[in-house]
Amino acid sequence: MFDKAEFVISNTDYRKCPKPDRHEFAFIGRSNVGKSSLINMLTARKSLAKTSASPGKTQLINHFLIDESWYLVDLPGYGYAKTSKKNRSAWELMIQDYLINRENLQIVFVLIDSRLDPQRIDLEFIQWLGESNIPFALIFTKADKQSLNKGHQSIAKFKKTMKKTWEELPMMFFTSSATGFGKEEVSEYISHILES
Ligand SMILES: Nc1nc2c(ncn2[C@@H]2O[C@H](COP(=O)(O)OP(=O)(O)OP(=O)(O)O)[C@@H](O)[C@H]2O)c(=O)[nH]1
Ligand SMILES: [Mg+2]
């Protein structure tokens, strides 16, 4: 669906990112949840974004230009247990600055592992996005790792937990980068925003 994809630049500072003159979509979530893999799945490229079995692979703000007209952005994950406190606050500054100040950002996709019960760290991050008025959608990842039924159950649990504090629930998607499950839904959602 997205025919052309090329790496543009990596940054630690949103001010050095490409000129914010075109639409942009970013992917965030816990380390190892599958952000980089999802970017590869959406662009049908094996290793456009670098992935790894061990968490903490993506360390920078990575811009990819799609179809020569808009950006996908791969971000470093949060919640990496081995990270020092100093690294953690550096992450927060880099990512929060980027998310708050990047004026061409259309939506942040927050990735959630579909195998897990609602995690406090994800709920807190989502809370912060809400308080900061940053539009977001949720993507439940790794659908292939358990039965669809189990995945749907954990999505239902997540919804139930969110309903305690949120009046309205965000868009939600269910994907597998291993099988391509959910690819069309996410692609169409992005295309719809690009066309509007
Ligand atoms: N089976 C399966 N494995 C996946 C899926 N998505 C990601 N993985 C695996 O999960 C591991 C982490 O994937 P990444 O895409 O590197 O995760 P990330 O969120 O970018 O991680 P950081 O950059 O460290 O924050 C890799 O071993 C991937 O192959 C999926 O949908 N299904
Ligand atoms: Mg990554």
Side-chain angles (χ1 to χ4, degrees):
M1 200 166 199
F2 308 147
D3 294 325
K4 206 172 162 200
E6 55 190 312
F7 169 72
V8 183
I9 193 170
S10 296
N11 274 294
T12 55
D13 186 342
Y14 79 91
R15 292 180 211 89
K16 294 183 188 150
C17 289
K19 216 162 94 189
D21 57 358
R22 25 182 111 215
H23 284 0
E24 180 159 321
F25 303 82
F27 296 83
I28 191 96
R30 289 172 76 199
S31 290
N32 211 244
V33 72
K35 301 173 291 295
S36 304
S37 302
L38 189 75
I39 288 181
N40 292 337
M41 186 262 259
L42 291 172
T43 56
R45 296 273 297 269
K46 269 207 187 84
S47 48
L48 181 70
K50 301 282 176 295
T51 67
S52 166
S54 42
K57 177 69 180 173
T58 310
Q59 293 283 341
L60 301 168
I61 302 167
N62 299 292
H63 274 75
F64 301 98
L65 181 63
I66 311 300
D67 291 343
E68 293 174 5
S69 60
W70 53 278
Y71 295 117
L72 281 182
V73 180
D74 193 14
L75 296 171
Y78 50 78
Y80 178 36
K82 279 188 189 154
T83 291
S84 66
K85 264 199 183 149
K86 197 173 142 208
N87 270 347
R88 207 164 294 164
S89 48
W91 181 92
E92 277 179 14
L93 280 182
M94 169 168 82
I95 300 307
Q96 295 186 343
D97 255 14
Y98 163 81
L99 292 172
I100 289 171
N101 295 301
R102 190 69 177 159
E103 61 207 70
N104 58 331
L105 186 61
Q106 301 301 302
I107 200 134
V108 190
F109 290 103
V110 181
L111 276 60
I112 313 267
D113 191 321
S114 68
R115 296 169 297 177
L116 304 179
D117 279 344
Q119 301 287 301
R120 180 193 284 210
I121 192 163
D122 293 323
L123 293 164
E124 283 178 356
F125 184 73
I126 287 169
Q127 194 66 33
W128 177 81
L129 287 173
E131 283 161 9
S132 309
N133 285 318
I134 298 166
F136 67 93
L138 302 182
I139 298 184
F140 293 86
T141 64
K142 307 195 182 184
D144 61 290
K145 290 255 194 183
Q146 87 272 28
S147 72
L148 272 187
N149 195 22
K150 279 223 165 125
H152 283 299
Q153 277 171 21
S154 54
I155 294 172
K157 266 193 197 166
F158 205 94
K159 281 186 183 165
K160 201 173 161 195
T161 308
M162 274 192 86
K163 274 188 188 149
K164 290 181 193 158
T165 43
W166 292 76
E167 258 174 52
E168 222 179 302
L169 295 184
M171 277 298 286
M172 295 188 188
F173 300 92
F174 191 19
T175 64
S176 162
S177 300
T179 67
F181 178 74
K183 177 178 176 175
E184 258 183 56
E185 286 79 2
V186 178
S187 306
E188 274 169 16
Y189 181 65
I190 291 175
S191 299
H192 184 75
I193 295 175
L194 287 170
E195 283 156 18
S196 63

